Amino acid sequence: AQTVTQSQPEMSVQEAETVTLSCTYDTSENNYYLFWYKQPPSRQMILVIRQEAYKQQNATENRFSVNFQKAAKSFSLKISDSQLGDTAMYFCAFMDRNTPLVFGKGTRLSVIA
Amino acid sequence: EPEVTQTPSHQVTQMGQEVILRCVPISNHLYFYWYRQILGQKVEFLVSFYNNEISEKSEIFDDQFSVERPDGSNFTLKIRSTKLEDSAMYFCASARLSGGPLDTQYFGPGTRLTVL
């Protein structure tokens, strides 16, 4: 079965600094999607960014970017210029044509003023 | 921007009671999902629904659970006889899937279910 591993239960970063959250996954499929979702204290799940496995170019969304290493099965999230509103749980998730979304256990990110 | 909505935001019930959680997916989406997140744990897939039938379900989704799309807009999750361990946040999600079997799922704000 596909698995998603987030090895950092908690992280903190100073406001305006850059932080990278790690994620690795396991699959034998070649075509799949990867996602980062943000869950603030309100507990709503908000899509941050997605990456299609067939695309070599790393996805970016404003201050958020990913480092997708397909061979290493690694999918890290970089948050630049961290803001207090970025404080949240961040979940990495995987999906392929046979597998519904599988989530990692999450990384709790605290942005410190 | 269209979004998935869920009602109620918080539901408190007694053990053994039936609950129905409601979701309104994004209007042009075709695939619907329910997920569960027990406090402090990761989000877990329960069931997916397409073309008016269940397309996939997890081992969590046992006979106590059912889903329905009673009309053109609502998508419901029913728990027939709630147990203490059903206390969790329940998320509805929908996806467009017009471009193939893979598409981004957009989540609702969740319903917090508390079973006493």
Side-chain angles (χ1 to χ4, degrees), chain A residues 31-33 35 37 39 43-45 47 50 91 95-98 100-101 103-105, chain B residues 35 37-39 41-43 45 56 89 91 101-109 112:
Chain A
N31 186 23
Y32 51 87
Y33 279 22
F35 303 86
Y37 283 89
Q39 188 179 45
R43 296 190 71 186
Q44 179 159 3
M45 294 290 286
L47 177 68
R50 80 173 194 179
F91 291 97
M95 179 173 68
D96 66 30
R97 58 187 172 89
N98 295 318
L101 266 177
F103 287 84
K105 290 187 176 180
Chain B
Y35 292 83
Q37 185 185 30
I38 295 172
L39 186 64
Q41 298 186 22
K42 65 179 177 179
V43 179
F45 168 75
E56 192 164 0
M89 195 78 163
F91 291 102
L102 295 175
D103 205 344
T104 300
Q105 295 177 30
Y106 293 90
F107 283 72
R112 185 190 305 270

Coordinates of all heavy atoms in Angstrom, one line a residue, chain A residues 31-33 35 37 39 43-45 47 50 91 95-98 100-101 103-105, chain B residues 35 37-39 41-43 45 56 89 91 101-109 112:
Chain A
N31 N 2.3 7.3 -12.4 CA 1.5 8.4 -12.6 C 0.7 8.7 -11.3 O -0.1 7.9 -10.9 CB 0.5 8.2 -13.7 CG -0.3 9.4 -14.1 OD1 0.1 10.6 -13.7 ND2 -1.4 9.3 -14.7
Y32 N 1.0 9.8 -10.7 CA 0.3 10.1 -9.4 C 0.4 11.6 -9.1 O 1.1 12.3 -9.8 CB 0.9 9.3 -8.2 CG 2.5 9.4 -8.1 CD1 3.1 10.4 -7.4 CD2 3.3 8.5 -8.7 CE1 4.4 10.5 -7.3 CE2 4.7 8.5 -8.7 CZ 5.2 9.6 -7.9 OH 6.6 9.7 -7.9
Y33 N -0.3 12.0 -8.1 CA -0.3 13.4 -7.7 C 0.2 13.5 -6.3 O -0.1 12.6 -5.5 CB -1.7 14.0 -7.7 CG -2.2 14.5 -9.1 CD1 -1.7 14.0 -10.3 CD2 -3.3 15.4 -9.2 CE1 -2.1 14.4 -11.5 CE2 -3.7 15.8 -10.4 CZ -3.2 15.3 -11.6 OH -3.6 15.8 -12.8
F35 N 0.3 16.4 -2.9 CA -0.3 17.6 -2.4 C 0.3 18.0 -1.0 O 0.7 17.1 -0.3 CB -1.8 17.3 -2.2 CG -2.6 16.9 -3.4 CD1 -2.6 15.5 -3.7 CD2 -3.2 17.8 -4.2 CE1 -3.3 15.1 -4.8 CE2 -3.9 17.3 -5.3 CZ -4.0 16.0 -5.6
Y37 N -1.5 20.1 2.1 CA -2.6 20.7 2.6 C -2.2 21.4 4.0 O -1.4 20.9 4.7 CB -3.8 19.7 2.9 CG -4.5 19.3 1.7 CD1 -4.1 18.2 1.0 CD2 -5.7 19.9 1.3 CE1 -4.8 17.7 -0.1 CE2 -6.4 19.5 0.2 CZ -5.9 18.4 -0.5 OH -6.7 18.0 -1.6
Q39 N -3.7 22.9 7.6 CA -4.8 22.9 8.5 C -4.6 23.8 9.7 O -3.9 23.5 10.7 CB -5.0 21.4 9.1 CG -6.3 21.3 9.9 CD -6.6 19.9 10.4 OE1 -5.6 19.2 10.9 NE2 -7.8 19.4 10.2
R43 N -9.1 24.0 11.9 CA -9.1 22.6 11.4 C -9.7 22.4 10.0 O -9.9 21.3 9.6 CB -9.9 21.7 12.4 CG -9.2 21.6 13.8 CD -9.8 20.6 14.7 NE -9.4 19.2 14.2 CZ -9.9 18.1 14.7 NH1 -10.8 18.2 15.7 NH2 -9.6 16.9 14.2
Q44 N -9.9 23.5 9.3 CA -10.3 23.3 7.9 C -9.0 22.9 7.1 O -7.9 23.3 7.4 CB -10.8 24.7 7.3 CG -11.2 24.6 5.9 CD -12.1 25.7 5.4 OE1 -12.4 26.6 6.2 NE2 -12.5 25.6 4.2
M45 N -9.3 22.0 6.1 CA -8.2 21.5 5.2 C -8.1 22.4 4.0 O -9.1 22.5 3.2 CB -8.4 20.1 4.8 CG -8.4 19.1 6.0 SD -6.8 18.9 6.6 CE -6.1 17.9 5.3
L47 N -6.0 23.5 0.5 CA -5.0 23.1 -0.4 C -3.9 24.2 -0.5 O -4.3 25.3 -0.8 CB -5.6 22.8 -1.8 CG -4.6 22.4 -2.9 CD1 -4.0 21.1 -2.7 CD2 -5.4 22.5 -4.3
R50 N 0.0 21.5 -5.4 CA 0.0 20.2 -5.9 C 1.0 20.0 -6.9 O 1.5 21.0 -7.6 CB -1.4 19.8 -6.4 CG -1.7 20.3 -7.8 CD -3.0 19.8 -8.3 NE -3.1 20.0 -9.7 CZ -4.2 19.6 -10.4 NH1 -5.2 19.0 -9.9 NH2 -4.2 19.8 -11.7
F91 N 0.0 18.9 6.1 CA -0.1 17.5 5.7 C 0.3 17.3 4.3 O -0.2 18.0 3.3 CB -1.6 17.0 5.8 CG -2.1 16.9 7.2 CD1 -2.8 17.9 7.8 CD2 -1.8 15.8 8.0 CE1 -3.3 17.8 9.1 CE2 -2.3 15.7 9.3 CZ -3.0 16.7 9.9
M95 N -1.9 10.6 -4.1 CA -3.0 10.0 -4.8 C -2.6 9.4 -6.1 O -1.8 10.1 -6.8 CB -4.1 11.1 -5.0 CG -5.4 10.5 -5.7 SD -6.7 11.8 -5.7 CE -6.0 13.0 -6.8
D96 N -3.1 8.2 -6.4 CA -2.9 7.7 -7.8 C -4.2 7.2 -8.3 O -5.2 7.3 -7.6 CB -1.8 6.7 -7.9 CG -2.1 5.4 -7.1 OD1 -3.3 5.0 -7.0 OD2 -1.2 4.7 -6.6
R97 N -4.3 6.6 -9.5 CA -5.5 6.3 -10.1 C -6.2 5.2 -9.3 O -7.4 5.0 -9.5 CB -5.3 5.9 -11.5 CG -4.4 4.7 -11.7 CD -4.1 4.5 -13.2 NE -3.0 3.5 -13.4 CZ -3.3 2.2 -13.5 NH1 -4.5 1.8 -13.5 NH2 -2.3 1.4 -13.7
N98 N -5.5 4.4 -8.5 CA -6.1 3.3 -7.8 C -6.3 3.6 -6.3 O -6.8 2.8 -5.5 CB -5.3 2.0 -7.9 CG -5.3 1.6 -9.4 OD1 -6.3 1.6 -10.0 ND2 -4.2 1.2 -9.9
P100 N -7.2 6.4 -3.2 CA -7.7 7.7 -2.8 C -6.6 8.4 -2.0 O -5.5 7.9 -1.7 CB -8.9 7.4 -1.9 CG -8.6 6.0 -1.4 CD -7.8 5.3 -2.5
L101 N -6.8 9.7 -1.6 CA -5.8 10.4 -0.9 C -5.3 9.7 0.3 O -6.1 9.3 1.2 CB -6.4 11.8 -0.5 CG -6.2 13.0 -1.4 CD1 -6.9 14.2 -0.9 CD2 -4.8 13.3 -1.6
F103 N -2.8 10.4 3.5 CA -2.1 11.5 4.2 C -1.0 11.1 5.1 O -1.0 9.9 5.6 CB -3.1 12.3 5.1 CG -4.1 13.1 4.3 CD1 -5.3 12.5 3.8 CD2 -3.9 14.5 4.1 CE1 -6.2 13.3 3.1 CE2 -4.8 15.3 3.4 CZ -6.0 14.7 2.9
G104 N 0.0 11.9 5.2 CA 1.0 11.7 6.3 C 0.5 12.2 7.6 O -0.7 12.6 7.7
K105 N 1.2 12.0 8.7 CA 0.8 12.3 10.0 C 0.8 13.8 10.3 O 0.3 14.3 11.3 CB 1.6 11.6 11.0 CG 1.4 10.1 11.1 CD 2.1 9.4 12.2 CE 1.7 7.9 12.2 NZ 2.4 7.2 13.3
Chain B
Y35 N -13.9 11.9 4.6 CA -12.7 11.6 5.4 C -13.0 11.8 6.8 O -13.9 12.6 7.2 CB -11.5 12.5 5.0 CG -11.0 12.2 3.6 CD1 -11.6 12.8 2.5 CD2 -9.9 11.4 3.4 CE1 -11.1 12.6 1.2 CE2 -9.4 11.2 2.1 CZ -10.0 11.8 1.0 OH -9.6 11.5 -0.3
Q37 N -11.0 12.5 10.7 CA -9.7 12.8 11.5 C -10.0 12.8 13.0 O -10.6 13.7 13.5 CB -9.2 14.2 11.1 CG -7.8 14.5 11.7 CD -7.3 15.9 11.4 OE1 -8.1 16.8 11.2 NE2 -6.0 16.1 11.4
I38 N -9.6 11.7 13.6 CA -9.6 11.7 15.0 C -8.7 12.7 15.6 O -7.6 12.9 15.0 CB -9.4 10.3 15.5 CG1 -10.5 9.3 15.1 CG2 -9.2 10.2 17.1 CD1 -10.2 7.9 15.3
L39 N -9.0 13.3 16.7 CA -8.2 14.4 17.3 C -6.7 14.0 17.4 O -6.5 13.0 18.1 CB -8.8 14.9 18.6 CG -8.1 16.1 19.2 CD1 -8.3 17.3 18.3 CD2 -8.7 16.4 20.6
Q41 N -4.7 13.0 15.2 CA -4.3 11.9 14.3 C -4.4 12.4 12.8 O -4.8 13.5 12.5 CB -5.1 10.6 14.5 CG -4.9 10.1 15.9 CD -5.6 8.7 16.0 OE1 -5.8 8.0 15.1 NE2 -5.8 8.3 17.3
K42 N -4.0 11.6 11.9 CA -4.0 12.0 10.5 C -5.4 11.8 9.9 O -6.2 11.1 10.5 CB -2.9 11.2 9.7 CG -3.1 9.7 9.6 CD -2.0 9.1 8.7 CE -2.1 7.6 8.6 NZ -1.1 7.1 7.8
V43 N -5.5 12.4 8.8 CA -6.8 12.3 8.0 C -6.9 10.9 7.4 O -5.9 10.5 6.7 CB -6.9 13.4 7.0 CG1 -8.2 13.3 6.2 CG2 -6.8 14.8 7.7
F45 N -9.2 8.2 4.9 CA -10.2 8.1 3.8 C -11.3 7.2 4.4 O -11.0 6.1 4.9 CB -9.6 7.5 2.6 CG -10.5 7.0 1.5 CD1 -11.2 7.9 0.8 CD2 -10.7 5.7 1.4 CE1 -12.1 7.5 -0.2 CE2 -11.6 5.2 0.4 CZ -12.3 6.1 -0.4
E56 N -15.4 3.5 -3.9 CA -14.3 2.8 -3.1 C -14.7 3.1 -1.7 O -15.2 4.2 -1.3 CB -13.0 3.4 -3.5 CG -11.8 2.6 -2.9 CD -10.5 2.9 -3.5 OE1 -10.5 3.7 -4.5 OE2 -9.5 2.3 -3.1
M89 N -13.4 14.7 13.6 CA -13.8 15.7 12.6 C -14.0 14.9 11.3 O -13.2 14.1 10.9 CB -12.6 16.6 12.4 CG -12.9 17.9 11.7 SD -13.7 19.0 12.8 CE -13.5 20.6 11.9
F91 N -14.6 15.3 7.3 CA -14.5 16.2 6.1 C -15.1 15.6 4.9 O -14.9 14.4 4.6 CB -13.0 16.4 5.8 CG -12.2 17.2 6.9 CD1 -11.4 16.5 7.8 CD2 -12.3 18.6 6.9 CE1 -10.7 17.2 8.8 CE2 -11.6 19.3 7.9 CZ -10.8 18.6 8.8
P101 N -8.9 10.3 -14.2 CA -9.2 9.7 -12.9 C -8.5 10.4 -11.7 O -8.8 10.2 -10.6 CB -8.6 8.3 -13.0 CG -7.6 8.4 -14.1 CD -8.0 9.4 -15.0
L102 N -7.6 11.4 -12.0 CA -6.9 12.1 -11.0 C -7.3 13.5 -11.0 O -7.2 14.2 -12.1 CB -5.4 11.9 -11.1 CG -4.8 10.5 -10.9 CD1 -3.3 10.5 -11.3 CD2 -5.1 10.0 -9.6
D103 N -7.6 14.1 -9.9 CA -7.9 15.5 -9.9 C -7.8 16.0 -8.4 O -7.9 15.2 -7.5 CB -9.3 15.8 -10.4 CG -9.4 17.2 -11.0 OD1 -8.5 18.1 -10.6 OD2 -10.3 17.6 -11.7
T104 N -7.6 17.2 -8.2 CA -7.5 17.8 -6.9 C -8.8 17.7 -6.2 O -9.9 18.1 -6.7 CB -7.0 19.3 -7.0 OG1 -5.8 19.3 -7.7 CG2 -6.9 19.9 -5.6
Q105 N -8.7 17.3 -4.9 CA -9.9 17.3 -4.0 C -9.9 18.6 -3.2 O -8.9 19.0 -2.6 CB -9.9 16.1 -3.1 CG -10.0 14.8 -3.9 CD -9.9 13.6 -3.0 OE1 -10.2 13.6 -1.8 NE2 -9.3 12.5 -3.6
Y106 N -11.1 19.2 -3.1 CA -11.3 20.4 -2.3 C -12.1 20.0 -1.1 O -13.2 19.4 -1.3 CB -11.9 21.5 -3.2 CG -11.0 22.0 -4.3 CD1 -11.0 21.4 -5.5 CD2 -10.1 23.0 -4.1 CE1 -10.2 21.8 -6.5 CE2 -9.3 23.4 -5.1 CZ -9.3 22.8 -6.3 OH -8.4 23.2 -7.3
F107 N -11.7 20.4 0.0 CA -12.3 20.0 1.3 C -13.2 21.1 1.8 O -13.0 22.3 1.7 CB -11.2 19.8 2.3 CG -10.5 18.4 2.1 CD1 -9.6 18.3 1.1 CD2 -10.8 17.4 3.0 CE1 -9.0 17.0 0.9 CE2 -10.1 16.2 2.8 CZ -9.2 16.0 1.8
G108 N -14.3 20.6 2.5 CA -15.1 21.5 3.2 C -14.5 21.8 4.6 O -13.4 21.3 4.9
P109 N -15.2 22.6 5.4 CA -14.6 23.0 6.7 C -14.7 22.0 7.8 O -14.1 22.2 8.8 CB -15.5 24.3 7.0 CG -16.8 24.0 6.3 CD -16.4 23.3 5.0
R112 N -17.4 18.7 13.3 CA -16.9 18.0 14.5 C -18.0 17.2 15.2 O -19.0 17.8 15.6 CB -16.3 19.1 15.5 CG -15.6 18.5 16.7 CD -15.3 19.6 17.7 NE -14.6 20.7 17.1 CZ -13.2 20.7 17.1 NH1 -12.5 19.8 17.7 NH2 -12.6 21.8 16.6

